[in-house]
Amino acid sequence: MNEQRLYLDWNATAPMLDCVREAMTEAFVEAVGNASSVHREGQRARAVVERARRSVANAIGAPAQAVVFTGGATESNNQVIYDHVETTDDPFVICTAVEHPSVLEVVESLQHRGVRTEIWPVDERGRLDLQWLEERLDTGATLVSAMWANNEMGNIYEVGPIAELVHQRGAVLHVDGTQALGRIELDFKEAGVDYLTLSFHKMGGPKGVGATVVREGLKVGALLAGGHQERGRRPGTENVPAMAGLDAAARQLTSERERWSETLHQMKSSFVETLSDIDNVEFRGDLDRQLPNTVNIAFEGVDGEDLLLALDLEGISASSGSACTAGSLEPSHVILAMGYDQNRARQSVRFSFGPSTDEERLVEAGRRIGAVVERLRALKADWRG
Ligand SMILES: Cc1ncc(COP(=O)(O)O)c(C=O)c1O
């Protein structure tokens, strides 16, 4: 990464950990076989895959046999939900309004196919109401999909109480843990999750690999046909160098997670303090339960996209969560679900960082953000309306 720039978009993807890059580089040279082949090269590749499985399982408190490797969290989310619908009589799927599109759009597609679905709404801080879920479970919901932490607001959701409710009514719980990994503790067994889906590139692992973690006694079927890999649950030749990277990332996670969390908390409080010096700001999301690496903020009178472009020129990379639809920038579905109108929704900017972000540079960035905001406001003399 360019030394001059400050990358504050870790929730999109994180810079690769050194240990991951080294492990992958070595595997490109040393583990050349197909993990399904019986010869020595094949066995060597198989050993890389199985070691990665044990390391990932260990990092999240799951048994190794529960881990099915996939091509990322998008694939895993699709796999869990579509498989549930195919294997369940009279399926009824609920997901939260703030899920990643790889859940939300799958649920919407089911609705078009005539499957019963419902979207679990959030309040103005993006929080969920358990009472709402309890009532829907009583009307026959079979699968609930709720993320562990949200990518845009950074909200952390209490998975344990949701799991308890879901299980009391005989339904199953899918949790997308992609943004929580490496930032807060994830304990698969203790949380009572049935299906946990993961990706590792937000914490410095390789992109394009993920995992579906399945509770003992449950099954997950393959999304694709054509091979027996991952015991038939994910056909296709394993990406062995990526598995080597995953192994390194998971080991680092196990040894560093607590230290990472502490570092992130410290960094976030310094950053928030600096940003609080700017006039007329609104910190968004559930400030009591938010990832220690994520700040979602709106500067009154400043369009988020204008700010991002100006910050990019200043060497600061951040994100708004907007999606480009037919040439126009639509505010994110997450912020709209929280009840903001289009104008206020468009003011949201997300800063996300990681354990290797330099705290001093982050605080300095906070000051520069303030200066850019003032400049943009001055350009729009009427920003106070
Ligand atoms: C919460 C969440 N789920 C799923 C995904 C998709 O993960 P992947 O990039 O591995 O497909 C992302 C990435 O943006 C995410 O933030």
Side-chain angles (χ1 to χ4, degrees), residues 6-248:
L6 186 61
Y7 182 76
L8 300 180
D9 201 11
W10 284 56
N11 288 10
T13 196
M16 192 175 264
L17 290 162
D18 290 344
C19 63
V20 172
R21 191 170 42 250
E22 283 156 20
M24 289 180 74
T25 307
E26 188 188 325
F28 274 120
V29 180
E30 303 289 336
V32 295
N34 184 319
S36 300
S37 300
V38 293
H39 46 61
R40 192 169 302 177
E41 288 82 356
Q43 287 171 25
R44 183 134 199 211
R46 169 59 50 204
V48 172
V49 175
E50 296 314 319
R51 194 172 58 219
R53 199 185 311 282
R54 288 192 297 276
S55 300
V56 167
N58 191 32
I60 56 164
Q65 68 273 18
V67 176
V68 181
F69 288 126
T70 65
T74 298
E75 182 187 321
S76 288
N77 288 341
N78 274 256
Q79 178 184 30
V80 169
I81 301 170
Y82 280 131
D83 183 65
H84 174 82
V85 169
E86 254 167 48
T87 56
T88 305
D89 292 334
D90 197 16
F92 174 4
V93 180
I94 290 175
C95 78
T96 81
V98 294
E99 291 305 305
H100 186 265
S102 56
V103 169
L104 210 49
E105 288 183 19
V106 171
V107 173
E108 281 164 9
S109 81
L110 294 175
Q111 194 182 9
H112 295 138
R113 276 168 38 184
V115 175
R116 215 151 44 119
T117 64
E118 214 161 332
I119 305 296
W120 188 358
V122 293
D123 70 7
E124 74 290 350
R125 291 241 164 238
R127 293 171 297 206
L128 293 165
D129 174 14
L130 282 181
Q131 178 92 39
W132 184 97
L133 181 65
E134 207 166 348
E135 285 161 18
R136 293 318 183 280
L137 286 165
D138 285 338
T139 64
T142 56
L143 172 72
V144 176
S145 188
M147 64 204 331
W148 211 312
N150 179 262
N151 39 313
E152 293 180 34
M153 292 298 138
N155 282 10
I156 299 169
Y157 296 104
E158 286 205 66
V159 169
I162 298 176
E164 216 170 287
L165 263 189
V166 167
H167 292 152
Q168 273 168 12
R169 314 297 156 104
V172 288
L173 175 65
H174 161 231
V175 172
D176 178 351
T178 300
Q179 293 288 348
L181 199 69
R183 293 155 186 175
I184 56 172
E185 190 188 0
L186 289 198
D187 192 319
F188 174 73
K189 258 200 191 146
E190 197 182 297
V193 173
D194 296 304
Y195 299 97
L196 176 66
T197 46
L198 296 172
S199 191
F200 298 81
H201 67 92
K202 319 279 185 185
M203 53 143 293
K207 304 185 210 319
V209 279
T212 304
V213 189
V214 185
R215 187 164 65 85
E216 202 181 346
L218 293 178
K219 287 186 173 160
V220 73
L223 200 55
L224 308 167
H228 56 268
Q229 289 88 350
E230 295 298 288
R231 292 197 275 138
R233 295 170 296 179
R234 207 289 184 168
T237 303
E238 292 90 344
N239 183 347
V240 176
M243 293 291 145
L246 204 55
D247 177 47

